[in-house]
Amino acid sequence: MAASYLKKGVAMGVSIDDVAAQAHVSTATVSRALRGLPRVSEPTRAKVLAVAKSMGYVASPSARGLASGRTRTVGVLVPYVDRWYFGHAIEGIDQVLRDNGYNLLLFSLGGYVHGTKRSFTESMVRKQIDALLVLSLGLSPEELRQLHTTDIPLMSVGGPVEGCSGIYIDDVAAASAATEHLIALGHRRIGYLRGGVQDEQNFKVPALRTVGFEASMARAELSLHPEWNVPGDFTVAEGVRAAAGIFDLAGPNPTAIFCGSDEMALGLLFEAQRRGIRVPEELSVVGIDDHDFSKAAGLTTIAQNPWEHGRAAATIVLSELDGKKEPQKKPYMPFELVVRNTTAPPMS
Amino acid sequence: MAASYLKKGVAMGVSIDDVAAQAHVSTATVSRALRGLPRVSEPTRAKVLAVAKSMGYVASPSARGLASGRTRTVGVLVPYVDRWYFGHAIEGIDQVLRDNGYNLLLFSLGGYVHGTKRSFTESMVRKQIDALLVLSLGLSPEELRQLHTTDIPLMSVGGPVEGCSGIYIDDVAAASAATEHLIALGHRRIGYLRGGVQDEQNFKVPALRTVGFEASMARAELSLHPEWNVPGDFTVAEGVRAAAGIFDLAGPNPTAIFCGSDEMALGLLFEAQRRGIRVPEELSVVGIDDHDFSKAAGLTTIAQNPWEHGRAAATIVLSELDGKKEPQKKPYMPFELVVRNTTAPPMS
DNA sequence: CTGTTAGCGCGTTCAT
DNA sequence: ATGAACGCGCTAACAG
C-alpha cells in the first residue's frame, strides 16, 4: 500500500503522485485522465478513474491554481447580502457556478456603500478569482480602473456599470409601466416614493426609475408635485417614513403613489393601515420588484426576477471563461406588470 | 528595471522574487517582512514594505496556500441565502472575516435542503477552506462524518448541530417567553403556527420552539387545540396559508396565535387584514425573530440578532485558527421580548 | 538578522 | 499514448 496516503487513519493528503503510483502510470497521465483530456487510452483512463475514486483523491485547488493560473472561483461583489434583490441574485449565481464546478467567493460591502469603511480593492481579487460579478453597485472610477487592470471578465447584475456589460431590466420602461398603469386607471394626482436617497455614486437604477416616472407623467401631461416626491433608500423603514411625510401634508393628497421598490411600497402600506387610509379605495399603490412579501400583501407591482438575472450573468461569464463566444445577450431582462389588490380607479 | 513584472503594460505577475530583487534582499526576508514576522530589522522591513507597495505586490493566495497549507478562507454553508436569518448572519460573518483578512467561500443549498439535488460533499471543502460555518442546517450523519474527516474547525450558527459547538439562542426559552407574554395578557385559547413542516432532518429549531410553546401552555394548565396547531415552513406564503386554515375553522377561534417565525406572523397578519379580522382587538399575534418588516408592521415579537450570531461565530473560529484558546463562549445568545401593537388582552 | 534551499501538488512542455 | 522534468510563487527549515 502506498505509504503517504494514510494519515490520521483516514484518507487525506492523497496527492496525484499517490494515485499515479497505485495506478502504475505517470502523474501526467493521471492529470490528463482526470480532466478528460485526449491522449489517454480508454483502458488507462478507466483504471485511473477507478483508482482515484477508491483513494478518495481530490486535486488541491491551491496547487491547481498555482500551476494553471485559474482558480475555478468567481467573485461576487455586493452592497448587501441581506436584501431581497441581492439574496436572490446570489442564489441564482451560486447555482450555476456550483453546477459547473466553480466556487463563489463573496465580497459584501455590508452597507458601507459609501465612505472610508468601504474597502474593496483590487488586491482582494488578485489571483483569487477568474471573474467578477458586480451586483447593483456603483463603482468609483478608481475601483473600475483597478478592476480592469486585473484583466478578468467583469459583469454587472441589477444595474448598468460603466465599462462592462450587465444583466438587468430596463428600469426606465419598468417605471413607466407602473406609472402608466396608474394613469390608465384614471389617476391624475400621483406621488412618487423614490429610492436612492443621496449620492448613490455611479449606481444608476434609482435615477432611471425616476426618469421613467417623470416621462410617463409628462406624456400624460400630468404635473409633478415636488412635495409628493420623497426620497428613501429602498427599505421598508424608509417606506413608512416617506409615506408619513406625504400623509402629514396639508391640502389634497395624491390618489396614487408609485414606489421605487416593493419594500418601500410595503412600508407605505403599513403606514396607511395604521392611519386608517383604505387601499385601494382611497389610495392606489404600485411598486417594483415582486418581493417575497408582495403576493401575500396583495401588492400590485412590476415583477422582475433577480434569481434569473444571477443565473444569466453567471452563465455568460462562465462561457466567456471557457472561451466560447458569449451567447447573444438579450439587451434587457423581462419584467411584467402584476395587478393585485392595491390599485383601482380613483374615487373622485 | 526588473525584467518580469511588466507584462501587458500593467503591473501584474509581480512575484516575491521581483520584490526581493528590487529590495536587494532574499525572498525569505521579503516573506517575513510582509507577514510581520520577527527576525527582520526595522530598516529592512520598511524598505521591503516600500518596495512591495511601489510595485503593487500582492502575494498569490494559491502559492501561499500550497506552501502553508492554509488558505485564509472560511466556508459558509447555508440552506438559503435569500432568507432573513441567513442573509444577516452571512453579513455578520463576512464582516469579521474581511476585517481579519479572511475570505468567505459561500456554499448554498439553494432550497435543496432535502433530496438528491442536495450536493454538498467533503470534496468541495477539501484543501479549500480553513474552517466551516454551518448555518441552521441539519447535517446528515454521513455529511457530518465527511466533514469531521477534513479535520477543520466546525461551528454551527442559528441552531445546534451534533458534534460541534454553535451560536444560537435558547429556542425553547424564546418560544416560552412569547407564549407567556400571551398568557400574561389573559389569553387562554392560543394557537400555534409552527415552522418546520416536514422532516427537517437534524435541524432542531422548529421542534425546540414547539417544546417551549407546549411547556408554557402546560404550566398554565391550558389545553392544546390540535386544529389550531398548523405547520408551515417559516415563510410568508406559508403564514397566510396556515392562517387561512385556522380562520376557516368552524367553532370558537383562538384569541391569540404564536408564530414560529416573524415571516409566518406577517403572513398571518396579511390574511387577517384581508378578512377584516382586527389585530390586536380580536386576535393577538406574536412572532420570533424581529424581521426587518416587523417594526414597520408593528408586530410584537421575540427579537434575536443573526448579524451578531454571525460575528460571534466567525470570531470564535478565527481565534481557534490562530491557536488562541477560544474565548469563553456564552451558552446562548440573548433574545428579547419586543412588545408592539399586535398583542393585547383578549376581548372576551 | 539574513540568505539558501527544499518542497507544497499540480499543469505542461518535450521527448519517447 | 505515455513519461520525465521543470516551473508556478510561496513558506519553512536550516545555515550562517
Side-chain angles (χ1 to χ4, degrees):
Chain A
M1 172 167 282
S4 67
Y5 89 96
L6 279 189
K7 302 176 182 174
K8 307 190 182 187
V10 298
M12 82 164 287
V14 4
S15 80
I16 197 172
D17 295 290
D18 299 317
V19 177
Q22 184 132 346
H24 304 295
V25 295
S26 71
T27 63
T29 300
V30 174
S31 180
R32 294 187 197 106
L34 259 28
R35 290 185 299 150
L37 296 184
R39 302 176 165 250
V40 181
S41 70
E42 262 330 303
T44 305
R45 187 189 303 279
K47 163 125 199 170
V48 171
L49 254 41
V51 172
K53 182 171 184 181
S54 81
M55 298 177 78
Y57 170 71
V58 178
S60 153
S62 294
R64 190 207 290 286
L66 222 209
S68 71
R70 304 164 100 285
T71 59
R72 290 196 78 79
T73 295
V74 351
V76 177
L77 176 60
V78 302
Y80 311 86
V81 349
D82 49 10
R83 292 260 264 255
W84 180 81
Y85 186 92
F86 309 111
H88 285 281
I90 293 172
E91 199 77 83
I93 293 169
D94 178 273
Q95 197 160 108
V96 349
L97 253 33
R98 192 158 320 293
D99 286 349
N100 290 79
Y102 273 77
N103 282 121
L104 161 7
L105 202 51
L106 186 68
F107 300 93
S108 172
L109 261 26
Y112 295 116
V113 179
H114 317 100
T116 55
K117 291 220 54 172
R118 169 172 178 149
S119 60
F120 178 74
T121 60
E122 167 262 347
S123 68
M124 301 173 54
V125 161
R126 194 66 150 277
K127 295 268 107 191
Q128 288 215 103
I129 60 180
D130 297 339
L132 213 217
L133 261 22
V134 181
L135 294 218
S136 295
L137 189 72
L139 257 26
S140 72
E142 169 60 14
E143 290 171 320
L144 231 38
R145 193 193 57 66
Q146 285 193 28
L147 249 26
H148 278 123
T149 68
T150 65
D151 196 40
I152 61 175
L154 217 51
M155 172 161 280
S156 77
V157 182
V161 163
E162 291 186 74
C164 65
S165 55
I167 292 288
Y168 38 80
I169 63 172
D170 181 344
D171 282 288
V172 174
S176 279
T179 309
E180 277 154 24
H181 168 60
L182 260 17
I183 294 172
L185 249 20
H187 291 279
R188 301 188 55 79
R189 303 207 310 274
I190 304 176
Y192 175 38
L193 254 56
R194 75 168 193 278
V197 51
Q198 41 187 11
D199 68 314
E200 288 284 343
Q201 295 209 59
N202 295 7
F203 182 46
K204 307 277 196 312
V205 171
L208 293 176
R209 293 184 180 175
T210 299
V211 167
F213 170 71
E214 295 182 348
S216 290
M217 291 293 278
R219 276 197 293 276
E221 299 183 355
L222 297 178
S223 52
L224 268 24
H225 296 245
E227 70 276 21
W228 297 347
N229 181 331
V230 318
D233 65 0
F234 281 133
T235 65
V236 223
E238 280 301 295
V240 341
R241 198 190 54 65
I246 291 186
F247 296 156
D248 283 340
L249 252 34
N253 273 341
T255 62
I257 296 182
F258 163 50
C259 301
S261 78
D262 276 11
E263 287 202 36
M264 295 186 71
L266 262 0
L268 183 152
L269 253 27
F270 287 132
E271 184 61 21
Q273 182 185 4
R274 196 168 293 125
R275 291 172 184 242
I277 298 173
R278 289 174 303 140
V279 174
E281 292 82 358
E282 300 174 60
L283 179 69
S284 281
V285 179
V286 59
I288 289 190
D289 276 347
D290 199 19
H291 187 281
D292 298 327
F293 279 51
S294 299
K295 183 180 179 188
L299 175 67
T300 293
T301 190
I302 302 292
Q304 66 169 326
N305 191 335
W307 188 83
E308 281 295 354
H309 298 188
R311 289 190 59 90
T315 302
I316 292 178
V317 286
L318 286 193
S319 67
E320 216 164 304
L321 287 179
D322 291 347
K324 302 170 193 162
K325 49 183 163 298
E326 62 187 275
Q328 212 47 30
K329 166 182 166 295
K330 291 165 296 183
Y332 285 117
M333 297 299 279
F335 62 80
E336 182 189 8
L337 172 66
V338 179
V339 179
R340 291 198 269 242
N341 315 318
T342 58
T343 49
M347 287 196 308
S348 48
Chain B
M1 170 168 283
S4 66
Y5 91 95
L6 279 190
K7 300 177 183 174
K8 307 190 182 187
V10 299
M12 80 163 291
V14 3
S15 79
I16 197 172
D17 295 293
D18 299 317
V19 177
Q22 184 132 344
H24 305 295
V25 295
S26 70
T27 62
T29 300
V30 173
S31 181
R32 293 185 199 109
L34 260 29
R35 292 186 296 153
L37 296 185
R39 304 175 163 247
V40 181
S41 70
E42 262 331 303
T44 304
R45 185 188 304 277
K47 164 121 199 172
V48 171
L49 256 40
V51 171
K53 182 172 185 180
S54 80
M55 299 177 78
Y57 170 72
V58 178
S60 154
S62 294
R64 192 205 288 286
L66 223 210
S68 70
R70 304 166 99 279
T71 59
R72 291 196 77 80
T73 294
V74 349
V76 177
L77 175 59
V78 303
Y80 311 86
V81 352
D82 49 10
R83 291 262 265 255
W84 180 81
Y85 186 91
F86 308 112
H88 285 281
I90 293 172
E91 199 76 86
I93 293 169
D94 178 275
Q95 196 161 107
V96 349
L97 252 33
R98 192 156 322 292
D99 286 348
N100 289 79
Y102 273 77
N103 283 121
L104 161 7
L105 202 52
L106 187 67
F107 301 94
S108 173
L109 261 23
Y112 296 116
V113 179
H114 318 98
T116 55
K117 292 220 53 171
R118 169 171 180 151
S119 60
F120 179 75
T121 59
E122 168 263 347
S123 69
M124 302 174 54
V125 160
R126 194 67 152 276
K127 296 267 104 190
Q128 286 213 108
I129 59 180
D130 296 341
L132 213 218
L133 262 22
V134 181
L135 295 219
S136 297
L137 191 70
L139 258 25
S140 71
E142 169 59 12
E143 289 171 321
L144 231 38
R145 194 193 57 69
Q146 284 194 28
L147 250 25
H148 278 123
T149 68
T150 65
D151 198 39
I152 62 177
L154 217 52
M155 174 162 279
S156 77
V157 183
V161 163
E162 290 185 75
C164 65
S165 54
I167 292 288
Y168 39 80
I169 63 172
D170 180 342
D171 283 287
V172 174
S176 279
T179 309
E180 277 154 22
H181 168 59
L182 259 20
I183 293 172
L185 248 23
H187 292 278
R188 302 186 55 78
R189 303 207 310 275
I190 303 176
Y192 175 39
L193 254 56
R194 74 168 195 278
V197 51
Q198 38 187 12
D199 67 314
E200 288 285 342
Q201 294 209 56
N202 294 6
F203 182 44
K204 307 278 197 309
V205 172
L208 293 176
R209 291 184 182 175
T210 298
V211 167
F213 170 72
E214 295 182 348
S216 290
M217 291 293 278
R219 275 196 295 274
E221 297 181 359
L222 297 178
S223 52
L224 268 24
H225 297 244
E227 70 276 21
W228 297 346
N229 181 332
V230 320
D233 67 359
F234 282 134
T235 66
V236 223
E238 280 302 295
V240 342
R241 198 190 54 65
I246 291 186
F247 296 155
D248 282 340
L249 254 32
N253 274 341
T255 63
I257 296 182
F258 163 50
C259 301
S261 79
D262 275 12
E263 287 202 36
M264 295 187 72
L266 261 0
L268 183 153
L269 252 26
F270 287 131
E271 185 60 24
Q273 183 186 2
R274 195 168 293 125
R275 294 175 181 238
I277 298 174
R278 289 174 303 142
V279 172
E281 293 80 358
E282 299 174 60
L283 180 69
S284 281
V285 179
V286 58
I288 289 191
D289 276 346
D290 200 18
H291 187 281
D292 299 328
F293 280 49
S294 300
K295 184 180 178 187
L299 175 66
T300 293
T301 190
I302 302 293
Q304 66 168 327
N305 191 334
W307 188 82
E308 281 296 354
H309 297 187
R311 290 191 59 90
T315 301
I316 292 179
V317 286
L318 286 194
S319 66
E320 215 164 305
L321 288 177
D322 291 347
K324 302 168 193 161
K325 52 182 161 296
E326 62 187 274
Q328 213 46 31
K329 167 181 166 294
K330 290 167 297 184
Y332 285 116
M333 296 299 279
F335 62 81
E336 183 188 7
L337 171 67
V338 178
V339 179
R340 290 199 270 243
N341 315 319
T342 57
T343 49
M347 289 197 307
S348 50

